[in-house]
Amino acid sequence: MRLTAFLGGLALLLNKYQTHLEGYIPRVEEQVCCGRFTTSRCSFSGAGDTRTIPFHFSIARLPRHTQTAPALPMAATTSPSSFSLIRLHPLSSVPSSLRRCRRTISTSRFRAMAPIVASIDNTREEEIVVVGAGIAGLATALSLHRLGVGSVVLEQGESLRAGGTSLTLFKNGWRVLDSIGVADELRAQFLQIQGLVMRADDGRELRSFVFEEEVPGQEVRAVERRVLLETLASRLPPNTISFSSRLKSIRKDGNHGSLLELEDGGRIRAKIVIGCDGVRSPVAKWMGFSEPKYVGHCAFRGLGIYPGGHPYKAKVNYIYGRGLRAGFVPVSPTKIYWFICFNRTSPGPRISDPSVLKQEALNLVRSWPMELLDVMQNTPDDSVIKTPLVDRWLWPGLTPSASSNGVVVVGDAWHPMTPNLGQGACCALEDSVVLAKKLAAAIRGGQDSVDAAMQDYNQERWARIFPLTARSNLVGSLLQWDNPLVCAFRNNIMVPKLVSLGPFLEHTNFECEMLEPLASG
């Protein structure tokens, strides 16, 4: 890239001063790097002429995803318009940080021109910027795309996130995936779960359900997070996702929207910013949201691998102990997702060695049913993760709105919730399609229409999200009981006689119309 930038700047300078430099040969004598600037010392020597004409110029390095200027030949016929991003300034206007970094360079006795500095203005203009290429971000971008609205997705990683294990999607999540045209591709890869079995930690069965009998029309599948992200991304137009784009700051930019500054020095001015950047969202923090609250539980998760196929039925298996619960569910004929949730007053130190994590998880359930232990033993060490469980309750009147000044948050960035109802990803998918439909209908009406659409999104989604967040937290607290008398009541009365699956899964009812694909060329 440094050579590309140098050749481009040199070509422009040659064009500007061609009448003074005819017959001279350019030579690079030195390059000095300082942060995102590259300073070059060059000279021109004429045939049979011992004099040299020195000059200096520096070029600010664009973010990786915007490095599009081609290397041009150093010809006097190059048009300056080929480098619309390059502007010439007097030497005194060079950033002070660059002036401090420059080495002292001796000058020639003959100076035919004053020193010239070229810099690149790397602020780009975008209509809609989605921050984060997770489930919420990609689903939002795809929903907008199917409605004829383009966007740019900023992802801080160098590629889609391959981490994580699996997640369970219920009927409401699948309705959204149907509406954006990716559900059938995913259904072909993952097993449909037929029922649910609940057991005590000694292996005794407490209750079992068949989904079709209890909740007709329910659809449950465990989906690999990596595959879901790749499938969503594959349906977006090329170059929609801008990788290695970590957000550094965001601020209001007058009447022009928001100015996003990236860690690599890039700047983007966007009319609409959609924060889909996860639980620790910088966008949500800028909007005034508090940090998510730790709920007193942590979870181990992993993905068991059976190259020759596993022997387990397509059912969700839950196992309950004292202050400890676990579960596993087949994902595909060769993979099984498992989790362990345990009480802890604080998340504890971060452990980076996956083999230590796996052993710690096994130690928690060493006397539990053999099926669970078998799945865990067949899990590669590097697929085991440990996470503290957190949530954020959106108290009315105390919590900021989901939108402000053209900025809106979606999914975990807005409403992180515990996984006890299996609704984190499902609600993020719901958010994405609801917001996309409202924005697509309002975007031609100007900023006032967009602001009204965002507020409408906030009110509609809050009425659904707040109760689910609270309910998920309450269910987790009940299931994590460690009092022996309370656990005996749960295992002998509550689960066998009081639990009814239909009312428990009523929250998975969500209607979602198909988003019509764009008409082909």
Side-chain angles (χ1 to χ4, degrees):
M1 178 266 165
R2 195 176 301 162
L3 179 60
T4 300
F6 166 73
L7 293 178
L10 188 56
L12 185 145
L13 291 168
L14 280 169
N15 181 78
K16 185 175 180 69
Y17 292 94
Q18 57 183 306
T19 57
H20 302 284
L21 300 175
E22 291 180 2
Y24 282 79
I25 302 171
R27 183 174 71 252
V28 181
E29 296 184 354
E30 184 178 29
Q31 285 192 330
V32 181
C33 291
C34 178
R36 63 187 182 90
F37 294 91
T38 297
T39 304
S40 298
R41 179 165 70 100
C42 309
S43 65
F44 292 89
S45 300
D49 191 341
T50 58
R51 297 173 299 176
T52 60
I53 305 173
F55 70 91
H56 305 83
F57 69 91
S58 66
I59 294 183
R61 173 166 50 87
L62 280 171
R64 185 181 309 172
H65 57 272
T66 57
Q67 293 173 10
T68 56
L72 299 182
M74 293 186 290
T77 57
T78 302
S79 169
S81 64
S82 300
F83 278 81
S84 58
L85 289 176
I86 295 181
R87 300 183 302 185
L88 299 180
H89 303 280
L91 186 60
S92 60
S93 69
V94 181
S96 59
S97 60
L98 180 61
R99 292 201 303 271
R100 289 195 301 268
C101 269
R102 289 183 56 196
R103 298 177 187 173
T104 301
I105 302 175
S106 59
T107 57
S108 168
R109 292 174 300 168
F110 180 78
R111 185 183 296 273
M113 65 180 112
I116 296 173
V117 172
S119 67
I120 292 182
D121 180 2
N122 56 354
T123 301
R124 19 196 281 244
E125 305 280 344
E126 298 290 352
E127 185 79 16
I128 300 178
V129 170
V130 178
V131 182
I135 294 171
L138 295 179
T140 300
L142 182 54
S143 297
L144 289 168
H145 170 62
R146 288 180 66 90
L147 293 167
V149 179
S151 64
V152 170
V153 181
L154 304 182
E155 167 53 39
Q156 65 181 9
E158 295 182 355
S159 61
L160 292 177
R161 283 168 263 179
T165 53
S166 295
L167 51 95
T168 303
L169 293 179
F170 288 83
K171 179 174 64 175
N172 51 328
W174 288 103
R175 295 297 83 79
V176 174
L177 295 175
D178 275 322
S179 75
I180 57 179
V182 299
D184 287 342
E185 182 177 344
L186 292 166
R187 287 187 179 106
Q189 302 177 66
F190 302 108
L191 297 174
Q192 181 165 0
I193 305 305
Q194 304 298 323
L196 181 153
V197 178
M198 306 166 86
R199 288 186 285 173
D201 54 5
D202 59 6
R204 176 168 52 99
E205 183 175 312
L206 305 177
R207 191 81 177 272
S208 65
F209 300 95
V210 176
F211 286 134
E212 192 57 36
E213 295 176 359
E214 299 286 333
V215 278
Q218 182 60 251
E219 182 175 7
V220 185
R221 297 172 196 265
V223 175
E224 286 186 70
R225 185 181 298 271
R226 173 188 58 81
V227 176
L228 176 57
L229 294 179
E230 290 174 352
T231 303
L232 292 170
S234 70
R235 302 298 182 92
L236 291 171
N239 303 318
T240 295
I241 306 174
S242 178
F243 294 107
S244 300
S245 299
R246 180 186 291 271
L247 182 65
K248 179 180 180 181
S249 67
I250 177 174
R251 61 182 172 87
K252 182 67 178 170
D253 189 26
N255 296 324
H256 303 290
S258 301
L259 184 65
L260 308 179
E261 295 191 18
L262 308 183
E263 290 286 354
D264 62 9
R267 291 154 56 95
I268 303 174
R269 185 176 291 108
K271 294 181 180 178
I272 298 172
V273 177
I274 305 176
C276 303
D277 44 346
V279 173
R280 307 295 177 186
S281 165
V283 176
K285 183 177 181 180
W286 176 79
M287 294 177 70
F289 284 93
S290 62
E291 286 292 316
K293 182 180 178 181
Y294 176 60
V295 300
H297 321 311
C298 290
F300 286 106
R301 296 180 175 93
L303 195 64
I305 308 296
Y306 294 79
H310 61 71
Y312 301 106
K313 296 180 180 179
K315 293 184 177 182
V316 180
N317 295 267
Y318 286 131
I319 309 169
Y320 301 114
R322 290 176 53 187
L324 183 67
R325 59 192 159 108
F328 63 93
V329 56
V331 176
S332 69
T334 59
K335 297 178 181 179
I336 296 182
Y337 164 67
W338 61 267
F339 74 89
I340 297 174
C341 188
F342 60 99
N343 295 347
R344 177 166 285 179
T345 54
S346 67
R350 182 180 179 84
I351 300 174
S352 57
D353 186 340
S355 63
V356 174
L357 288 177
K358 181 177 176 180
Q359 189 57 53
E360 185 178 331
L362 284 167
N363 289 341
L364 288 173
V365 294
R366 63 178 63 182
S367 62
W368 284 35
M370 286 303 300
E371 295 94 333
L372 173 64
L373 300 179
D374 176 68
V375 173
M376 295 175 66
Q377 293 286 7
N378 280 278
T379 301
D381 289 354
D382 60 5
S383 76
V384 179
I385 61 174
K386 175 186 174 183
T387 54
L389 303 187
V390 300
D391 64 11
R392 178 192 290 131
W393 290 34
L394 304 175
W395 293 106
L398 300 178
T399 308
S401 169
S403 67
S404 175
N405 297 316
V407 181
V408 63
V409 280
V410 171
D412 284 345
W414 182 24
H415 50 74
M417 65 177 67
T418 56
N420 302 300
L421 298 180
Q423 286 298 298
C426 291
C427 286
L429 290 170
E430 290 180 15
D431 288 350
S432 66
V433 73
V434 170
L435 177 62
K437 287 193 291 187
K438 292 184 183 300
L439 285 180
I443 203 165
R444 292 183 178 86
Q447 191 61 45
D448 289 343
S449 296
V450 169
D451 290 342
M454 287 183 176
Q455 284 301 318
D456 190 29
Y457 158 81
N458 172 72
Q459 294 174 10
E460 178 179 330
R461 294 302 299 158
W462 178 89
R464 177 162 171 78
I465 293 302
F466 181 67
L468 276 176
T469 304
R471 185 181 178 190
S472 184
N473 182 293
L474 177 61
V475 167
S477 298
L478 294 176
L479 294 177
Q480 292 297 131
W481 283 331
D482 57 7
N483 182 287
L485 293 178
V486 174
C487 290
F489 169 78
R490 177 195 63 199
N491 291 353
N492 296 301
I493 298 176
M494 189 180 77
V495 172
K497 299 179 180 180
L498 302 180
V499 171
S500 179
L501 202 57
F504 186 77
L505 293 178
E506 189 174 359
H507 59 264
T508 65
N509 294 323
F510 177 77
E511 296 301 323
C512 185
E513 300 175 356
M514 279 293 290
L515 302 186
E516 293 298 327
L518 292 173
S520 57

